Amino acid sequence: MGQCGITSSKTVLVFLNLIFWAAAGILCYVGAYVFITYDDYDHFFEDVYTLIPAVVIIAVGALLFIIGLIGCCATIRESRCGLATFVIILMLVFVTEVVVVVLGYIYRAKVEEEVNHSIQKVYNEYNGTNTDAPSRAIDYVQRQLHCCGIANYSDWKNTRWFNESRNNSVPMSCCKPNASNCTGSLSRPGDLYPEGCEALVVKKLKEIMMYVIWAALTFAAIQMLGMLCACVVLCRRGRDPAYELLITGGTYA
């Protein structure tokens, strides 16, 4: 019964190490996705420290690949030192992922405050040219999120661009895709997106942060199972004289 339990633990541990390799790729993808999306919305979010969870999760992803390699080799070779190192590194990564979750929740709570603080400034800097970064950012957000203005399209009346253009219109990025011959004129409000961008930008950024939080929580749970299996193998390795190799079966350690 004991030998069956330890063999099962080793088999699960090898399988988990393969999952760690897959997890490494997924975590790196999630971190890169946060970076890419932040680049699209960075004018609405001035606190660069919000990227800390993404940086950490990419580092954890890279470390998980190494952990998977160490874990596989240590399990197959039944190296006591290797398994101990594996457990220690897993514990450190687990703690790091807990920190990522905490930071994710902290910065997720700050998203609305940050956007409220910066969005008016960004809209005031709009000049309608494609070479201007704030203008490109606003046009991109309005097209992607199907929104117009801060709370609604009437907010454009308070911007410098609207007062200087004097044509009673909003940017073309406010036009609905199915609106024919839309010029952004406020005399045809039915052609414009009715919803403002502020709430949608906050919602989008909070969703991105939740991706990081859920990714960290999911793989932290998998790592706990990995630590448990490794500890079982280590404990039995020290007490069982008839300990079997996972591959060679009948060879004693």
Side-chain angles (χ1 to χ4, degrees), residues 2-4 6-7 10 78 236-245 249-253:
Q3 198 64 42
C4 179
I6 196 169
T7 303
K10 289 191 290 182
E78 299 170 346
R236 295 304 297 261
R237 176 75 172 87
R239 292 185 299 180
D240 194 342
Y243 185 83
E244 294 184 286
L245 282 172
T251 306
Y252 294 156

Side-chain angles (χ1 to χ4, degrees), residues 30-214:
V30 171
Y33 173 74
V34 173
F35 268 101
I36 292 170
T37 308
Y38 178 87
D39 188 55
D40 295 329
Y41 293 87
D42 62 345
H43 289 281
F44 301 94
F45 208 77
E46 297 177 349
D47 189 356
V48 295
Y49 293 107
T50 307
L51 288 176
I52 289 177
V55 173
V56 175
I57 209 168
I58 289 176
V60 168
L63 191 57
L64 272 179
F65 182 83
I66 299 173
I67 289 173
L69 185 62
I70 293 174
C72 275
C73 292
T75 305
I76 292 172
R77 290 178 174 273
E78 299 170 346
S79 168
R80 187 176 182 85
C81 179
L83 283 172
T85 302
F86 175 71
V87 171
I88 292 171
I89 296 176
L90 270 185
M91 289 179 63
L92 292 175
V93 173
F94 177 79
V95 171
T96 303
E97 286 180 334
V98 172
V99 171
V100 168
V101 171
V102 173
L103 289 176
Y105 272 108
I106 291 173
Y107 288 119
R108 188 174 182 271
K110 292 177 63 178
V111 163
E112 189 167 357
E113 178 186 345
E114 283 288 324
V115 173
N116 291 342
H117 175 73
S118 59
I119 194 167
Q120 184 66 58
K121 176 184 175 182
V122 176
Y123 269 83
N124 284 332
E125 292 176 352
Y126 185 87
N127 63 19
T129 61
N130 196 45
T131 56
D132 182 61
S135 299
R136 287 199 309 272
I138 289 174
D139 286 334
Y140 173 83
V141 166
Q142 292 190 151
R143 289 193 180 99
Q144 290 294 313
L145 301 183
H146 296 172
C147 58
C148 184
I150 299 174
N152 54 56
Y153 56 79
S154 64
D155 291 322
W156 278 103
K157 295 179 181 179
N158 303 320
T159 62
R160 185 176 60 187
W161 174 82
F162 183 89
N163 294 325
E164 290 177 354
S165 60
R166 297 182 180 179
N167 57 6
N168 195 40
S169 65
V170 297
M172 294 286 287
S173 56
C174 283
C175 292
K176 296 177 181 177
N178 57 352
S180 58
N181 301 319
C182 178
T183 60
S185 174
L186 290 176
S187 61
R188 297 175 59 184
D191 292 346
L192 309 176
Y193 295 122
E195 193 168 359
C197 294
E198 182 177 19
L200 294 178
V201 169
V202 170
K203 180 182 177 182
K204 181 70 174 178
L205 291 172
K206 284 187 174 182
E207 285 177 355
I208 293 168
M209 200 58 67
M210 280 305 299
Y211 295 152
V212 174
I213 292 171
W214 280 112

Side-chain angles (χ1 to χ4, degrees), residues 22-34:
I26 294 172
L27 289 176
C28 288
Y29 171 80
V30 171
Y33 173 74
V34 173

